[in-house]
Amino acid sequence: MCGIIGYTGEESALPLLLGGLERLEYRGYDSAGVALIEGKKLIVEKRVGKIRELVRSLWGKPYSGKTGIGHTRWATHGAPSLKNAHPHTDSRNEFAVVHNGIIENFLEIREELKREGIRFRSETDTEVIAHLIARSYRGDLLSAVLETVERLKGAFAFAVITVHEPGRIVGVKQGSPLVVGIGEGENFLASDIPAILPYTRKVITLSDGEVVDITPEGVNIYDFYGNPITKEIMIVPWDIVSAERGGFKHFMLKEIHEQPKAVGDTVRGLISSGEILPFSLKDFRRVILIACGTSYHACLVGKFWMEKLVGVPVEVVYASEFRYADIPVSDKDLVIGVSQSGETIDTKFAMNMAKEKGATTVALVNVVGSSIDREADHSVYTHAGPEIGVAATKTFTAQLAALYYLSLRENPDRETLIGDLMQVPSLIETVLEKAEEVERIAEKFLKKKNFLYLGRYLNYPIALEGALKLKEISYIHAEGYPAGEMKHGPIALIDENMPVVVIAPQDRVYEKTLSNIEEVRTRKGTVVSVGFEGDERLRKLSSDLMEIPHVPEDITPFLTVVPLQLLAYFIASKLGLDVDQPRNLAKTVTVE
Ligand code: AGP
């Protein structure tokens, strides 16, 4: 998954492109590059590594071109290297392309072009786009692009400029995200909104099958057949401050502390939107929740709530598994795709597959206008605002809020349950006030090489989520496991070197979980627990207790996850790791 940006207007394009790329860096950072129209020449500058390598190398260069495109890469085809870095150009260096996605039929196109004498400079799929456009060009960039997209298969968002038409950028959206920023005498193109927020809040979100033709004077949108399309301009409510770090050391820490607001805004958004779905969950024989990563863990919690509060059977399936299993899906099923980005390709394809099988589909997303949002039959939105840290935090608790609301909306105790939900933001605040205690615990364990996270019932998905948070930002191996399953194998791992984190609020499985803690202790395991304030029984069994307020059982997941987010954050931060952009990861996984 990569980030692309484009600018054409009256200003020098380079600083705007670099600023935008810095805000896109969480989408991938193996290499970065820009292409500029400098007079009659096409200038391409690219570097391996993070954006700052590119910025440093361009410092003081006399580029003043007013049209350009930029790219930050997360390698899919071809290793991270200079030759594979974008932008890619045609053989005569007259066209430059930046691309996010995968051209699935690029090999056949590559062979065809090679037979015509084209010599490729990279291993990427993207390079074929530049050569196809150059081959089709007969004086009009838009026509050449329309001819080119007829040949492409897969998921792609790309932008192209040419020396023949300074001031013009053409962009294409199919499967990967692309938005247009509308300025005064200038216009922008980007993979997502934070990249262009400092310059404009007027945004058009492109849909699959659309092409945008941009000049400083205007923006025109067409379908792949060249038919003009009218699109609505959205005024983005976010301001750039909310997308910046706001005084925190990392975006992730800021976003952990934004959770009261993310949950509160989500609940208010759901309540104020009236009837969020035109049907009852009970109208279906089954609900299937589909997601990846942290969103999958939110679904595991949602399953317990839906089955308890609605009484409908719920299945939770990894999107990447759903697509290849023979799960019998029909019009009797409701399929809910949960995705903060709304662009995760596995979730997107799984949802489309469910729809083709006749299911009613609902997108539960944080980004309005995202692919999964637009392609589902119905949508429910979280209102967490932009999440920049690769590790999902506030979007997770916002997803919990939406899933809980979906579960309670038809329950006879709806008003009481909404009352409980409305308390969650202040309860999270209470947990956040104990962050220093968690930081102290992190200090004790940051040298450990393996962690086990245990929980039963509602606490099991939180154990999975706590383990994922730790491993994805600290690179320490951590495994989440059902506490009741430990005696079926993992207990063999327990020794004094393996900290065991146990989530044990006083709920229906509390006593059984205490027994599991005893099992760990008798094998010299060290227990770090998450439990209710003042729980002396738990404290006596634990080397450290991270406390949450006493709340009804169903509300515990909103709170038990917070100390685990903080624990992972402090360990990774104290290890001096790149918390917001962990190695090998990207914020949105738009590759399969
Ligand atoms: C979570 O911290 C990770 N960033 C990752 O597992 C993420 O949750 C997953 O890729 C799903 O993303 P989505 O919610 O945007 O679909």
Side-chain angles (χ1 to χ4, degrees), residues 431-460:
V431 181
L432 290 169
E433 286 161 10
K434 303 178 189 321
E436 278 181 26
E437 173 59 9
V438 179
E439 184 170 9
R440 181 191 63 75
I441 296 168
E443 195 68 49
K444 282 171 69 173
F445 293 100
L446 59 79
K447 294 275 191 282
K448 295 297 182 182
K449 297 301 173 209
N450 292 287
F451 280 72
L452 192 58
Y453 285 68
L454 301 178
R456 286 175 179 257
Y457 183 50
L458 283 167
N459 308 308
Y460 165 48

Coordinates of all heavy atoms in Angstrom, one line a residue, residues 431-460:
V431 N -9.2 5.6 33.4 CA -8.1 4.6 33.2 C -6.9 5.4 32.7 O -5.7 5.1 33.1 CB -8.6 3.6 32.1 CG1 -7.4 2.6 31.9 CG2 -9.8 2.9 32.6
L432 N -7.0 6.4 31.8 CA -5.9 7.1 31.3 C -5.1 7.9 32.3 O -3.9 8.1 32.2 CB -6.4 8.1 30.2 CG -6.8 7.4 28.9 CD1 -7.5 8.4 28.0 CD2 -5.7 6.7 28.1
E433 N -5.8 8.2 33.4 CA -5.2 8.9 34.5 C -4.1 8.0 35.2 O -3.3 8.5 35.9 CB -6.2 9.4 35.5 CG -7.0 10.6 35.0 CD -8.4 10.8 35.8 OE1 -8.5 10.1 36.8 OE2 -9.2 11.6 35.3
K434 N -4.2 6.7 35.0 CA -3.3 5.8 35.6 C -2.1 5.4 34.7 O -1.4 4.5 34.9 CB -4.0 4.5 36.1 CG -5.2 4.8 37.0 CD -5.8 3.4 37.3 CE -7.1 3.5 38.1 NZ -7.3 4.4 39.1
A435 N -1.9 6.2 33.6 CA -0.9 5.9 32.6 C 0.5 5.8 33.2 O 1.3 4.9 32.8 CB -1.0 6.9 31.5
E436 N 0.8 6.6 34.2 CA 2.1 6.6 34.8 C 2.4 5.2 35.4 O 3.5 4.7 35.3 CB 2.3 7.7 35.8 CG 2.6 9.0 35.1 CD 2.8 10.1 36.2 OE1 3.2 9.8 37.3 OE2 2.6 11.3 35.8
E437 N 1.4 4.6 36.0 CA 1.5 3.3 36.6 C 1.9 2.2 35.6 O 2.7 1.4 35.7 CB 0.2 2.9 37.4 CG 0.1 1.5 37.9 CD 1.2 1.2 39.0 OE1 2.0 2.2 39.4 OE2 1.4 0.1 39.3
V438 N 1.2 2.4 34.4 CA 1.5 1.4 33.3 C 2.9 1.7 32.8 O 3.6 0.7 32.5 CB 0.4 1.6 32.2 CG1 0.7 0.6 31.1 CG2 -1.0 1.4 32.7
E439 N 3.3 2.9 32.8 CA 4.7 3.2 32.3 C 5.7 2.6 33.2 O 6.7 2.0 32.7 CB 4.9 4.7 32.2 CG 6.2 5.1 31.6 CD 6.4 6.6 31.3 OE1 5.5 7.4 31.7 OE2 7.4 7.0 30.7
R440 N 5.4 2.6 34.5 CA 6.3 2.0 35.5 C 6.4 0.5 35.2 O 7.5 -0.1 35.2 CB 5.8 2.2 36.9 CG 6.7 1.7 38.0 CD 6.0 1.7 39.4 NE 4.8 0.9 39.4 CZ 4.8 -0.4 39.5 NH1 5.9 -1.1 39.4 NH2 3.7 -1.1 39.5
I441 N 5.3 -0.1 35.0 CA 5.3 -1.6 34.7 C 6.0 -1.9 33.4 O 6.8 -2.8 33.3 CB 3.8 -2.1 34.6 CG1 3.1 -1.9 36.0 CG2 3.8 -3.6 34.2 CD1 1.6 -2.1 35.9
A442 N 5.8 -1.0 32.4 CA 6.5 -1.2 31.1 C 8.0 -1.2 31.3 O 8.8 -2.1 30.7 CB 6.1 -0.1 30.1
E443 N 8.5 -0.3 32.1 CA 9.9 -0.3 32.4 C 10.5 -1.6 33.0 O 11.5 -2.0 32.6 CB 10.1 0.9 33.5 CG 11.6 1.3 33.7 CD 12.1 2.1 32.5 OE1 11.4 3.0 32.0 OE2 13.2 1.7 32.0
K444 N 9.7 -2.3 33.8 CA 10.1 -3.6 34.4 C 10.2 -4.7 33.3 O 11.0 -5.6 33.5 CB 9.0 -4.0 35.4 CG 9.1 -3.3 36.7 CD 7.9 -3.6 37.6 CE 7.9 -5.1 38.1 NZ 6.8 -5.3 39.1
F445 N 9.4 -4.6 32.3 CA 9.3 -5.8 31.4 C 9.8 -5.6 30.0 O 9.7 -6.4 29.2 CB 7.8 -6.3 31.4 CG 7.3 -6.8 32.7 CD1 6.5 -6.0 33.5 CD2 7.7 -8.1 33.1 CE1 6.1 -6.5 34.7 CE2 7.2 -8.6 34.3 CZ 6.4 -7.8 35.1
L446 N 10.4 -4.4 29.8 CA 10.7 -4.1 28.4 C 11.8 -4.9 27.8 O 12.0 -5.0 26.6 CB 10.9 -2.6 28.2 CG 12.1 -1.9 28.9 CD1 13.4 -2.1 28.3 CD2 11.8 -0.4 29.0
K447 N 12.6 -5.7 28.6 CA 13.6 -6.5 28.1 C 13.2 -7.9 27.8 O 13.9 -8.8 27.3 CB 14.8 -6.5 29.1 CG 15.5 -5.2 29.3 CD 16.6 -5.0 28.2 CE 17.4 -3.8 28.5 NZ 16.7 -2.5 28.2
K448 N 11.9 -8.2 28.1 CA 11.4 -9.6 28.0 C 11.3 -9.9 26.5 O 11.0 -9.0 25.7 CB 10.1 -9.8 28.7 CG 10.2 -9.6 30.2 CD 11.1 -10.7 30.8 CE 11.1 -10.6 32.3 NZ 12.0 -11.7 32.9
K449 N 11.4 -11.2 26.1 CA 11.4 -11.5 24.7 C 10.1 -12.2 24.3 O 9.8 -12.3 23.1 CB 12.5 -12.5 24.4 CG 13.9 -11.9 24.6 CD 14.2 -10.7 23.7 CE 15.5 -10.0 24.0 NZ 15.3 -8.6 23.7
N450 N 9.3 -12.6 25.3 CA 8.0 -13.3 24.9 C 7.0 -12.9 26.0 O 7.3 -12.8 27.2 CB 8.2 -14.8 24.9 CG 9.1 -15.3 23.8 OD1 8.6 -15.3 22.6 ND2 10.3 -15.7 24.1
F451 N 5.8 -12.7 25.5 CA 4.7 -12.4 26.5 C 3.5 -13.4 26.1 O 3.3 -13.7 24.9 CB 4.2 -11.0 26.3 CG 5.0 -9.9 27.0 CD1 6.3 -9.6 26.5 CD2 4.5 -9.3 28.1 CE1 7.0 -8.6 27.1 CE2 5.3 -8.3 28.8 CZ 6.5 -8.0 28.3
L452 N 2.7 -13.7 27.1 CA 1.5 -14.4 26.9 C 0.3 -13.6 27.4 O 0.5 -13.0 28.5 CB 1.5 -15.8 27.6 CG 0.4 -16.8 27.3 CD1 0.4 -17.2 25.8 CD2 0.7 -18.1 28.1
Y453 N -0.7 -13.4 26.7 CA -1.9 -12.6 27.1 C -3.1 -13.6 27.2 O -3.4 -14.3 26.3 CB -2.2 -11.5 26.1 CG -1.3 -10.3 26.1 CD1 0.0 -10.4 25.7 CD2 -1.7 -9.1 26.5 CE1 0.9 -9.3 25.7 CE2 -0.9 -8.0 26.5 CZ 0.4 -8.1 26.1 OH 1.2 -7.0 26.1
L454 N -3.7 -13.6 28.4 CA -4.8 -14.5 28.6 C -6.1 -13.8 29.0 O -6.1 -12.8 29.7 CB -4.4 -15.5 29.7 CG -3.2 -16.4 29.5 CD1 -2.9 -17.2 30.8 CD2 -3.3 -17.2 28.3
G455 N -7.2 -14.4 28.5 CA -8.5 -13.8 28.9 C -9.6 -14.8 28.5 O -9.4 -15.7 27.6
R456 N -10.7 -14.8 29.2 CA -11.9 -15.6 28.9 C -13.0 -14.8 28.5 O -13.1 -13.6 28.9 CB -12.3 -16.4 30.2 CG -11.4 -17.6 30.6 CD -11.9 -18.2 31.9 NE -11.0 -19.3 32.3 CZ -11.4 -20.6 32.2 NH1 -12.6 -20.9 31.6 NH2 -10.6 -21.6 32.6
Y457 N -13.9 -15.3 27.6 CA -15.2 -14.6 27.3 C -14.8 -13.2 26.7 O -13.9 -13.1 25.8 CB -16.1 -14.6 28.5 CG -17.4 -14.0 28.2 CD1 -18.2 -14.4 27.1 CD2 -17.9 -13.0 29.1 CE1 -19.4 -13.8 26.9 CE2 -19.2 -12.4 28.9 CZ -19.9 -12.8 27.8 OH -21.1 -12.2 27.6
L458 N -15.4 -12.2 27.1 CA -15.2 -10.9 26.6 C -13.7 -10.5 26.7 O -13.2 -9.6 25.9 CB -16.0 -9.8 27.3 CG -17.5 -9.7 26.9 CD1 -18.2 -8.9 28.0 CD2 -17.7 -9.2 25.6
N459 N -13.0 -11.1 27.6 CA -11.6 -10.7 27.8 C -10.6 -11.4 26.9 O -9.5 -11.0 26.7 CB -11.2 -11.0 29.3 CG -12.1 -10.4 30.3 OD1 -12.4 -9.2 30.2 ND2 -12.7 -11.3 31.1
Y460 N -11.1 -12.4 26.2 CA -10.2 -13.2 25.2 C -9.9 -12.3 24.0 O -8.7 -12.1 23.7 CB -10.9 -14.5 24.8 CG -10.3 -15.1 23.6 CD1 -8.9 -15.3 23.5 CD2 -11.1 -15.6 22.5 CE1 -8.3 -15.9 22.4 CE2 -10.5 -16.2 21.4 CZ -9.1 -16.3 21.4 OH -8.6 -16.9 20.2

